[in-house]
């Protein structure tokens, strides 16, 4: 039992009185809140090595004065209504008189966090902004079976500390095989580190590759999650304008240490980086010694055009860190992602992961290894790709029907969202508010000036009917 207060055996005050005073003061200063259950007299006596009668006498006095109450059969609790106003009033006036507590001093990192804005998720009956996978289609009964299997076995690699910071070894094997099969990434399982979603992968990259003041190149427009993260680490951000060919390093300073890109399906424009642009970027990084962080967050969903291998597969892999996530192919709350690292960086990343949180939860990792090994992931991705393609087609049809050629669409060949520029943005916004449709503007993804008429439209977690109706309402 944790010790709620100290007793002083050398004090002239009797122990029974000390127990009484300790509870009473704690109740009055708010440390023991109304409804808190007290330890039993037996447990408290044992904890302090005092006689039970000492504790019982103190409890009885507190009960008699109304500081405590008993609930039949379930124990002793701090009273929900305190006995007399006097101590409370005394407490209030004491509080008023006391100087305000000194503000907690924050680190430079802590202070930089103040500039980051977290927007609450919007709610509207027709939500065209939700880029989540369709969770109603995830095979949860199957997932439950796989998790239960490992709970039943309770093997040391799952419930003990045997697996270490790199992740569950079966999962690291499966990830290496999956990437070879689907993304042409050649790596050994030893290069894979399992983390809590790609956000942690990016955080570890920032910790290990950047010092405050270092330059980092990010796509413009780009993923806010990465811009905010690098800024929080004190990095200087160099925006790389995204054209239809992808992000260009043309005007990026040569002292950039890290380049973050989403080449398969750029976030948020949705464009795919062309092969010449990928080669240009790889060559640029080779010459300058920068590290490319390839964030392949939703490449599994490609609907048209040839499948594009990962950038990682094009070079030697010596200066590319590949980052992947299960948030979009499984579900966000799983919080599992991975890094594929150049061999020379593996130990340092594993140490940083160890210091951050030891390892990602093993039960889910073991279940996920089976999910991949038994073919469920490939099957699920195939099914979802068909579903999302149908929804994307419906979205394109709806734009064509209600906006015609005036809707300028980009990034519809892959992923779970596309970007669109619409002619009369003010009317679209007014319609969205009036007809209760949520559509996301791309403004927050630009660090500079954003086009006023660009929107991101997600189609993965919304029915075909709702897509048609949503676009119709925007066009009224
Ligand atoms: C560019 C980018 N990276 C990563 C992620 C996924 O983050 P996480 O794996 O932490 O859920 C997203 C979210 O969809 C994203 O848009």
């Amino acid at each position: 039992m944790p010790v709620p207060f100290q007793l002083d055996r050398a004090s002239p005050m009797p122990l029974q009185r000390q127990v009484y005073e300790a509870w009473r003061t704690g109740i009055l200063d708010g440390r023991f809140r109304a409804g808190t259950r007290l330890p039993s007299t037996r447990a408290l006596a044992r904890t302090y090595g005092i006689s039970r009668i000492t504790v019982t006498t103190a409890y009885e006095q507190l009960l008699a004065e109304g500081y405590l109450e008993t609930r039949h059969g379930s124990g002793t609790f701090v009273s929900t209504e305190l006995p007399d106003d006097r101590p409370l009033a005394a407490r209030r006036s004491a509080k008023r008189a006391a100087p305000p507590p000194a503000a907690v001093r924050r680190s430079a990192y802590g202070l930089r966090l103040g500039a980051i804005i977290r927007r609450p998720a919007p709610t509207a009956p027709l939500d065209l902004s939700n880029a989540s996978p369709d969770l109603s289609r995830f095979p949860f009964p199957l997932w439950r079976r796989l998790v239960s299997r490992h709970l039943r076995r309770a093997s040391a690699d799952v419930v003990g500390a045997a697996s270490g910071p790199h992740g569950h070894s079966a999962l690291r094997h499966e990830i290496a095989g999956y990437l070879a099969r689907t993304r042409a990434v050649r790596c050994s399982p030893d290069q894979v580190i399992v983390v809590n979603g790609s956000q942690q992968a990016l955080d570890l990259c920032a910790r290990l590759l950047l010092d405050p003041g270092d330059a980092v190149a990010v796509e413009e427009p780009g993923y806010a999650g990465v811009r905010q993260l690098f800024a929080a680490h004190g990095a200087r951000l160099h925006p790389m304008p995204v054209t239809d060919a992808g992000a260009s390093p043309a005007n990026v300073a040569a002292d950039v240490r890290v380049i973050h890109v989403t080449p398969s399906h750029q976030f948020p424009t949705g464009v795919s980086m062309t092969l010449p642009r990928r080669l240009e970027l790889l060559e640029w990084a080779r010459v300058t010694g920068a590290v490319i962080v390839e964030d392949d967050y939703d490449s599994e969903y490609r609907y048209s055009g040839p499948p594009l291998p990962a950038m990682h597969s094009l070079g030697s892999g010596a200066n590319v860190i590949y980052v992947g996530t299960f948030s979009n192919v499984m579900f966000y709350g799983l919080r599992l992602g991975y890094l594929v690292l150049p061999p020379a960086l593996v130990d340092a990343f594993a140490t940083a992961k160890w210091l951050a949180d030891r390892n990602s939860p093993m039960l889910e990792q073991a279940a996920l290894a089976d999910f991949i090994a038994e073919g469920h992931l490939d099957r699920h991705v195939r099914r979802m790709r068909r579903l999302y393609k149908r929804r994307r087609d419906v979205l394109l049809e709806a734009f064509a029907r209600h906006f015609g050629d005036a809707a300028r669409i980009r990034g519809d060949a892959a992923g779970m969202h596309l970007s669109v520029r619409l002619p009369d943005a003010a009317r679209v916004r007014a319609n969205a508010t009036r007809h209760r449709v949520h559509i996301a503007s791309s403004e927050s993804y630009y660090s500079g000036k954003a086009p006023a008429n660009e929107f991101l439209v997600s189609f993965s977690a919304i029915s075909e009917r709702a897509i048609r109706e949503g676009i119709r309402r925007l066009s009224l």
Side-chain angles (χ1 to χ4, degrees):
M1 192 191 85
V3 181
F5 43 75
Q6 300 295 326
L7 295 180
D8 181 2
R9 285 170 194 280
S11 161
M13 191 190 286
L15 286 169
Q16 168 265 320
R17 184 77 199 170
Q18 288 189 43
V19 173
Y20 164 87
E21 285 295 348
W23 282 113
R24 184 174 167 280
T25 317
I27 290 167
L28 288 176
D29 70 16
R31 197 155 60 89
F32 306 128
R33 290 168 187 274
T36 304
R37 179 204 284 275
L38 268 68
S40 69
T41 51
R42 189 192 303 275
L44 199 81
R46 199 178 317 119
T47 301
Y48 288 100
I50 56 181
S51 86
R52 198 171 159 203
I53 191 80
T54 303
V55 181
T56 310
T57 313
Y59 275 28
E60 278 171 357
Q61 189 175 347
L62 290 160
L63 279 163
E65 291 176 7
Y67 292 102
L68 302 182
E69 62 193 15
T70 53
R71 295 190 200 150
H72 191 65
S74 59
T76 305
F77 297 83
V78 175
S79 291
T80 38
E81 280 185 38
L82 287 175
D84 65 332
D85 285 340
R86 197 180 36 77
L88 271 178
R91 177 160 60 108
R92 283 197 203 105
S93 63
K95 245 191 180 163
R96 237 178 276 127
V104 174
R105 200 181 145 273
R106 277 188 278 169
S107 65
Y109 176 91
L111 291 171
R112 285 192 294 266
L113 297 184
I116 295 172
I117 306 153
R118 290 197 67 213
R119 290 183 177 76
T123 51
L126 282 178
D127 190 355
L128 290 166
S129 74
N130 178 12
S132 148
D134 188 336
L135 301 179
S136 71
R137 306 297 177 104
F138 187 77
F140 283 108
L142 167 67
W143 180 248
R144 201 160 50 234
R145 251 196 344 268
L146 299 181
V147 171
S148 307
R149 178 193 287 171
H150 286 281
L151 259 183
R152 260 195 317 275
R153 286 183 194 157
S155 53
D157 56 346
V158 168
V159 298
S163 291
H166 301 80
H168 193 273
S169 70
L171 179 59
R172 297 168 71 210
H173 270 88
E174 291 304 330
I175 289 172
Y178 173 75
L179 292 178
R181 208 163 59 239
T182 61
R183 309 293 303 125
V185 169
R186 293 177 311 272
C187 68
S188 120
D190 296 339
Q191 289 171 259
V192 176
I193 292 188
V194 180
V195 289
N196 299 336
S198 38
Q199 194 64 24
Q200 185 175 41
L202 300 170
D203 186 63
L204 294 180
C205 289
R207 284 167 193 261
L208 280 146
L209 305 173
L210 295 170
D211 289 313
D214 279 350
V216 48
V218 292
E219 295 168 324
E220 168 75 0
Y223 183 48
V226 76
R227 244 195 356 242
Q228 293 170 341
L229 177 82
F230 288 151
H233 280 279
R236 281 183 290 127
L237 301 185
H238 282 249
M240 290 184 292
V242 175
T243 67
D244 283 343
S248 164
N251 296 315
V252 172
D255 65 343
V256 155
R257 306 282 298 269
V258 172
I259 306 168
H260 174 267
V261 280
T262 49
S264 300
H265 185 236
Q266 201 272 334
F267 191 90
T269 62
V271 301
S272 298
M273 195 182 284
T274 59
L275 184 62
R277 184 57 64 78
R278 290 173 190 233
L279 295 172
E280 181 193 350
L281 203 64
L282 282 165
E283 179 57 15
W284 189 87
R286 196 187 61 77
V287 170
T288 59
V291 177
I292 295 175
V293 176
E294 177 178 18
D295 184 347
D296 215 8
Y297 67 103
D298 73 352
S299 63
E300 285 83 355
Y301 304 126
R302 172 153 284 280
Y303 313 116
S304 40
L308 296 168
M311 252 174 102
H312 188 280
S313 68
L314 294 174
S316 65
N319 58 349
V320 179
I321 294 177
Y322 180 90
V323 171
T325 177
F326 292 99
S327 289
N328 293 326
V329 286
M330 306 241 329
F331 51 95
Y332 176 87
L334 185 63
R335 304 310 305 143
L336 287 178
Y338 47 88
L339 294 141
V340 177
L341 294 157
L345 290 178
V346 172
D347 284 347
F349 271 76
T351 305
K353 169 71 179 162
W354 175 246
L355 290 176
D357 60 7
R358 296 322 197 218
N359 53 258
S360 296
M362 288 296 165
L363 183 59
E364 284 81 355
Q365 290 191 52
L368 180 51
D370 289 355
F371 193 76
I372 302 174
E374 294 172 16
H376 306 300
L377 179 65
D378 286 359
R379 213 167 301 125
H380 180 61
V381 167
R382 269 200 307 277
R383 256 192 236 126
M384 300 312 278
R385 193 186 295 126
R386 277 199 299 272
L387 176 74
Y388 297 161
K389 180 177 186 309
R390 276 202 305 279
R391 291 179 177 173
R392 181 210 62 162
D393 290 347
V394 166
L395 179 62
L396 294 178
E397 278 162 28
F399 271 124
R401 166 187 264 228
H402 297 290
F403 289 88
D405 290 342
R408 297 208 321 280
I409 291 170
R410 280 209 293 182
D412 58 316
M416 298 150 82
H417 76 277
L418 50 76
S419 68
V420 61
R421 292 193 184 180
L422 295 172
D424 188 350
R427 206 184 84 221
V428 169
R429 283 176 211 279
N431 279 337
T433 310
R434 184 168 331 121
H435 303 297
R436 312 198 60 208
V437 180
H438 197 273
I439 182 169
S441 153
S442 69
E443 271 165 354
S444 62
Y445 302 107
Y446 286 82
S447 60
K449 190 163 164 42
N453 63 340
E454 191 177 72
F455 300 92
L456 303 188
V457 185
S458 301
F459 49 81
S460 50
I462 179 166
S463 71
E464 294 176 20
R465 237 181 73 200
I467 292 173
R468 285 195 193 94
E469 180 57 15
I471 302 303
R472 187 189 72 79
R473 290 188 194 179
L474 294 180
S475 71
L476 292 174

